[in-house]
Amino acid sequence: MPELTTSLAAVAAVVSLLALSAFFSSSETAIFSLPAGWPAERAAAGDRRAVHLDALREDPHRLLVTLLVGNNLVNVALSSVVTVLLVDALPPGVAVTAATVVVTSVVLVFGEIVPKSYGLGNNEAWALRVARPVTLVGRLLRPLVSLFDAVTRSASRRLGGDADIEEPYLDD
């Protein structure tokens, strides 16, 4: 019975992590595909959700880093959980290969492509809906986001790139 409970918990973790991956992917696409100025207009019209959304868009690089840190954390965790599950059933080398193929396929379809299509097709409604949760994620992951924000800005500058490359996508 403990093995069944562990397996059910692992499956629940996989489903939850995949849902979080879809959340981050769809949020990124929805927020970055909004028409310029739309969140500010909605906020000025009194939509409280748009106030959060507009605040997120004030620093698009940090927003992108927040979404990518969250997405990568859940995708790596998802891969780890699936690998642990498969190691119990398959030889270790085969388990790692199978986990890589299965997780890559599932994440591409259900954690990236389908959610991004949804975010693009429902960008205004979805961006308003996810603005507060994304703000919360940014607060929870603040140490990691701050680290990766600083590192990527510095690396971009040193490599001759624009540290604020995302800015043109959100300008009014």
Side-chain angles (χ1 to χ4, degrees), residues 50-109:
V51 172
H52 290 282
L53 182 57
D54 200 36
L56 284 171
R57 289 171 50 107
E58 285 177 8
D59 189 346
H61 181 79
R62 188 171 186 87
L63 170 60
L64 184 60
V65 170
T66 299
L67 293 167
L68 291 175
V69 166
N71 207 8
N72 278 279
L73 284 173
V74 299
N75 288 343
V76 169
L78 177 61
S79 182
S80 298
V81 171
V82 170
T83 301
V84 168
L85 280 173
L86 292 179
V87 164
D88 285 343
L90 302 169
V94 174
V96 170
T97 302
T100 301
V101 170
V102 168
V103 171
T104 299
S105 301
V106 170
V107 166
L108 274 173
V109 174

